[in-house]
Amino acid sequence: MSNIIFGIRPVIEAIEAGREIDKVLIKKGADSENLVRLKEMCNRRKISVQEVPVEKLNRMVKMPHQGVIAQMAMISYREISDIMDELHEKGRTPLIVICDGITDVRNFGAIARSAECAGADAIIIATKNGAQINADAMKTSAGALNILPVCRVGSMRNTLKWLQNEGVELIAASEKSSRLIYEVDLKRPIALILGSEDKGVSNEILKMCDHRVAIPMNGTIESLNVSAAAAVIMFEVVRQRTNI
C-alpha cells in the first residue's frame, strides 16, 4: 500500500514535517514512552488515533512496524475559517455541507460529487466517526474531492457554533420534520447538515439547528439514501439562488 508509512520514528517525523495524515493505527495495549508521545502529537494535530489488534497491523504490513501504521491523506485539508474569509472577500453566499457521522465512503464520495456540481463552497467532516477519504471515496466522487475544499474538525459542535456566529444558518436534513425543503429560504448563508443512514443527524446537533427540513415522499419507502437526499436538497438551493 503506497499511502501508508509505518514505524514509530517515521510516523513521528511525518507528523513533524506537516504531512497530511488521515489516521494512525496503534497496537492495542501498547504504552511505550514514544507511543505516548505519538498519541499526544496526534491529539494536538487533530489526527485520529485507533488502537487495533496487532493482527490487523500484520496484515497491512509484512515488515517490522513497531506497532504503528499511519494512513496518509489523499487530499490536503483546509481550515473552514480560511474558506469563510475567502467567501466574504468574494461576496459569495456560503453553502457549506456538513457530514455528521457519515462513515460510508461511497456515500461520502457521492455527496462530495453532488456538492461540487451544486457549487458548494466546502464540505466538513469530523476527525472521528467520519468517512475515510480513500480510493473508493475518490472514485465515487468522480474527482470532486480534488476540487471541493474538505475541512476536518475535532469538534463538530464547536465548528457549528462558530459558523452560527459567522451568520450561517444550520439546516438539518431530517425525514421526521414536518417542514419541507421548499418552505425554507435557502438563499441565505447556510450549512446543510446530513446524518448517517442508520441514525440521521445526532440529537446534539439537531438541537443546535435553525431549521429541520424534509423531502416530500410519495412512495412507500420512508426515506432516500443520504447521498440522494443530499443532491435533492442542494439542487433546491441552486434553484432558489438562481430564481428558477
Side-chain angles (χ1 to χ4, degrees):
M1 297 176 67
S2 60
N3 66 324
I4 66 172
I5 56 176
F6 52 89
I8 296 174
R9 174 50 55 184
V11 173
I12 288 176
E13 289 176 350
I15 295 173
E16 289 177 336
R19 294 185 63 184
E20 294 278 1
I21 297 175
D22 265 334
K23 63 181 176 181
V24 174
L25 306 178
I26 295 178
K27 182 178 71 174
K28 188 175 292 184
D31 58 357
S32 70
E33 183 178 338
N34 282 335
L35 283 177
V36 170
R37 178 189 171 202
L38 175 58
K39 291 178 184 178
E40 291 173 348
M41 291 178 67
C42 289
N43 185 54
R44 288 196 301 270
R45 305 290 177 91
K46 300 178 182 178
I47 300 170
S48 176
V49 175
Q50 293 182 6
E51 293 194 9
V52 299
V54 68
E55 291 79 10
K56 177 172 183 176
L57 302 180
N58 292 340
R59 288 194 298 270
M60 295 176 66
V61 174
K62 302 304 180 184
M63 293 181 285
H65 49 65
Q66 299 178 301
V68 177
I69 295 177
Q71 295 186 342
M72 309 307 294
M74 300 190 75
I75 64 168
S76 294
Y77 295 100
R78 298 282 310 277
E79 293 290 335
I80 186 60
S81 56
D82 293 339
I83 292 169
M84 290 296 292
D85 286 344
E86 293 170 7
L87 295 177
H88 289 319
E89 289 176 7
K90 295 176 181 177
R92 280 180 57 88
T93 302
L95 168 57
I96 310 296
V97 178
I98 312 286
C99 292
D100 176 35
I102 295 175
T103 57
D104 184 278
V105 295
R106 291 182 177 86
N107 271 336
F108 175 73
I111 290 168
R113 180 175 184 173
S114 295
E116 202 286 322
C117 290
D121 299 295
I123 188 165
I124 299 178
I125 59 176
T127 301
K128 296 181 179 179
N129 299 320
Q132 181 186 352
I133 301 181
N134 58 17
D136 281 342
M138 298 294 288
K139 181 178 180 180
T140 310
S141 80
L145 287 169
N146 289 318
I147 304 169
L148 179 68
V150 180
C151 308
R152 187 171 59 176
V153 299
S155 171
M156 188 66 76
R157 181 179 175 83
N158 290 345
T159 300
L160 294 178
K161 281 184 177 179
W162 182 86
L163 284 170
Q164 284 181 315
N165 290 335
E166 290 289 305
V168 176
E169 293 190 3
L170 306 183
I171 298 181
S174 173
E175 72 273 12
K176 297 177 182 178
S177 173
S178 60
R179 196 173 190 189
L180 300 181
I181 56 174
Y182 313 117
E183 300 171 345
V184 178
D185 182 0
L186 302 175
K187 297 187 290 294
R188 293 175 289 189
I190 64 169
L192 171 62
I193 305 174
L194 306 162
S196 63
E197 288 279 351
D198 54 341
K199 298 179 181 178
V201 178
S202 65
N203 288 331
E204 179 185 32
I205 300 301
L206 278 175
K207 291 176 183 177
M208 300 178 62
C209 291
D210 300 289
H211 306 284
R212 303 180 191 184
V213 297
I215 298 168
M217 306 291 291
N218 292 330
T220 56
I221 297 175
E222 293 183 354
S223 63
L224 292 168
N225 169 279
V226 64
S227 61
V232 171
I233 298 173
M234 284 188 276
F235 280 93
E236 171 60 14
V237 177
V238 173
R239 187 194 70 81
Q240 289 193 21
R241 292 186 179 186
T242 50
N243 296 315
I244 295 175

